[in-house]
Amino acid sequence: MSTLGKVIRCKAAVLWGLKQPFSIEEVEVAPPKAYEVRIKILATGICRSDDHAIQGYLVAKFPVILGHEAAGIVESIGEGVTTVKPGDKVIPLCLPQCGKCSSCINPNGNFCEKVDITGKGVLSDDTSRFTCRGKPVYHFLSTSTFTEYTVVEESSVIKIDAAAPLEKVCLIGCGFSTGYGAAVKTAKVTPGSTCVVFGLGGVGLSVIIGCKSAGASQIIGIDINKDKFGKAKAVGATECISPKDYTKPISEVLKEMTGNSVGYTFEAIGHPETLIDALASCHVSYGTSVIVGLPPSSTMLTYDPMLLFTGRTWKGCVFGGWKSKEDIPKLVSDFLAKKFDLDQLITHVLPFNKIKEGFDLLYKGECIRTVLVM
Ligand code: CND
Ligand code: ZN
Ligand code: ZN
């Protein structure tokens, strides 16, 4: 029976409030309005940013359906939609590309003003497409993928190659692209350089993959959880260290280890202290440090301006600096052409209803990426 134009009842993981457990509920998903797309989600990764919303570090409106790193198939489209059609394989975009705002029209910007980083939780008509137990349930990062069906705006979805395996390329929807792009697009790592990556989760490992593909000759991974070192080395780290093994500042340790040659550092944790550590660890004059980790909202930093005065560059990037609509299909094609491997990042695959187990793996530091399949 066709679902076209009808409300779909399906399973979703609803978070009723801050720091609450996920509750698998039956939700109603309204049909897409004009310029909207309803997607059947088939695979969704668990990213630390979802947990940031659970903890309140990233603002969301409750009750909410989290999840933003996914892949699926278009179920139906609203009036006026031209870039996707029912049956297309797609990736929802947690960083939209409207094509019209000041970031979108500039070749160097990607932080589209349609991004919902302030937790509005609604689509452009200021309403939600989800209801549960008679109450509206809000959207997250204009995607909401911890559900069998979601509705997004056309600016938040892109068609990908029909040959793409969705349970792998879902990582291109956030973690992989974020880390890989931080190295190859934002920092533009140069061949023969020395790189240091703070935080060896799915994002940090993707930074390492980017540094390696850019031809870096020394790539040092840093984590307080030594269980992450094996995977980091498997994807390209030349050495891994834990700051807990040293009494002196990590910047001094790295200076000695590299003969004072750290060209690039990447912070893929999201802690105020490690943001400063990463800045101080890149070379005093020609070093570049990239903020990739998401610091808790309203965090303020105090640092010695001399760190920048001497010539260092401090940058941030959202979604690796990629323009999402333009670049995601190319990244998917590069994956299909075997230019990089996503298997090494996926340590666990679980059925969607085991979402709590997936988050437990994240909290225990036992996974790189868990992919939930519907
Ligand atoms: P995940 O939690 O898997 O990895 C973080 C790693 O950091 C873990 O291995 C920790 O053991 C390690 N760690 C924690 N504290 C320290 C410390 N003090 N020193 C050294 N290592 C430490 O997270 P993830 O890889 O999914 O995400 C990493 C960050 O990137 C996180 O803040 C997430 O919200 C952010 C992010 C940003 C963007 C973007 O567009 N910029 C997109 N997605 C995720
Ligand atoms: Zn993410
Ligand atoms: Zn835009």
Side-chain angles (χ1 to χ4, degrees), residues 10-16 20-27 44 64-65 132-133 145-148 351-359 372-374:
C10 68
K11 267 193 299 179
V14 177
L15 202 72
W16 289 97
Q20 297 289 306
F22 285 105
S23 170
I24 302 276
E25 306 265 2
E26 188 180 87
V27 298
T44 177
V64 67
I65 295 176
C132 181
R133 303 190 201 188
T145 61
F146 294 157
T147 170
E148 291 174 315
F352 173 56
N353 57 15
K354 297 228 163 131
I355 184 167
K356 284 185 212 162
E357 243 170 76
F359 274 83
L372 304 170
V373 288
M374 287 22 192

Side-chain angles (χ1 to χ4, degrees), residues 33-294:
K33 295 189 181 177
Y35 306 106
E36 294 177 359
V37 178
R38 190 159 60 181
I39 306 167
K40 181 174 172 55
I41 298 292
L42 290 170
T44 177
I46 295 177
C47 172
R48 179 61 75 169
S49 303
D50 297 306
D51 178 54
H52 285 341
I54 300 174
Q55 308 305 331
Y57 300 153
L58 179 62
V59 184
K61 199 180 263 180
F62 294 93
V64 67
I65 295 176
L66 298 177
H68 62 284
E69 181 181 90
I73 291 178
V74 173
E75 175 269 340
S76 62
I77 56 175
E79 205 187 307
V81 171
T82 56
T83 55
V84 295
K85 59 179 188 315
D88 283 349
K89 282 191 180 174
V90 291
I91 288 183
L93 309 175
C94 52
L95 176 65
Q97 187 182 346
C98 76
K100 294 177 194 142
C101 73
S102 58
S103 289
C104 284
I105 58 178
N106 186 289
N108 300 316
N110 78 332
F111 191 65
C112 175
E113 68 181 26
K114 288 206 93 173
V115 67
D116 186 13
I117 206 147
T118 53
K120 290 200 299 281
V122 286
L123 299 187
S124 60
D125 69 345
D126 290 332
T127 65
S128 153
R129 299 292 163 270
F130 302 113
T131 31
C132 181
R133 303 190 201 188
K135 295 198 182 83
V137 176
Y138 293 98
H139 297 247
F140 176 62
L141 288 178
S142 49
T143 43
S144 287
T145 61
F146 294 157
T147 170
E148 291 174 315
Y149 287 87
T150 190
V151 178
V152 303
E153 289 175 34
E154 191 177 11
S155 53
S156 297
V157 59
I158 188 70
K159 180 180 174 174
I160 56 166
D161 194 315
L166 300 184
E167 70 290 357
K168 295 185 202 259
V169 299
C170 58
L171 299 197
I172 293 176
C174 182
F176 173 76
S177 306
T178 296
Y180 184 73
V184 306
K185 178 125 180 124
T186 301
K188 298 191 171 60
V189 166
T190 49
S193 58
T194 299
C195 299
V196 178
V197 182
F198 289 73
L200 304 175
V203 174
L205 260 51
S206 303
V207 175
I208 294 177
I209 294 173
C211 294
K212 189 179 175 190
S213 79
S217 50
Q218 191 176 15
I219 305 171
I220 302 172
I222 297 183
D223 205 296
I224 47 174
N225 177 356
K226 290 187 180 177
D227 292 342
K228 304 280 176 125
F229 292 180
K231 273 275 173 185
K233 287 182 181 160
V235 299
T238 51
E239 295 119 291
C240 289
I241 58 171
S242 166
K244 286 185 172 168
D245 291 342
Y246 302 90
T247 47
K248 58 177 145 187
I250 200 73
S251 56
E252 290 299 318
V253 175
L254 289 163
K255 207 169 166 181
E256 282 167 23
M257 276 176 83
T258 62
N260 195 16
S261 70
V262 180
Y264 306 92
T265 62
F266 300 86
E267 204 275 4
I269 306 164
H271 287 177
E273 321 81 66
T274 41
L275 286 170
I276 310 282
D277 284 345
L279 175 63
S281 297
C282 70
H283 190 273
V284 63
S285 64
Y286 62 76
T288 294
S289 185
V290 183
I291 298 174
V292 190
L294 187 70

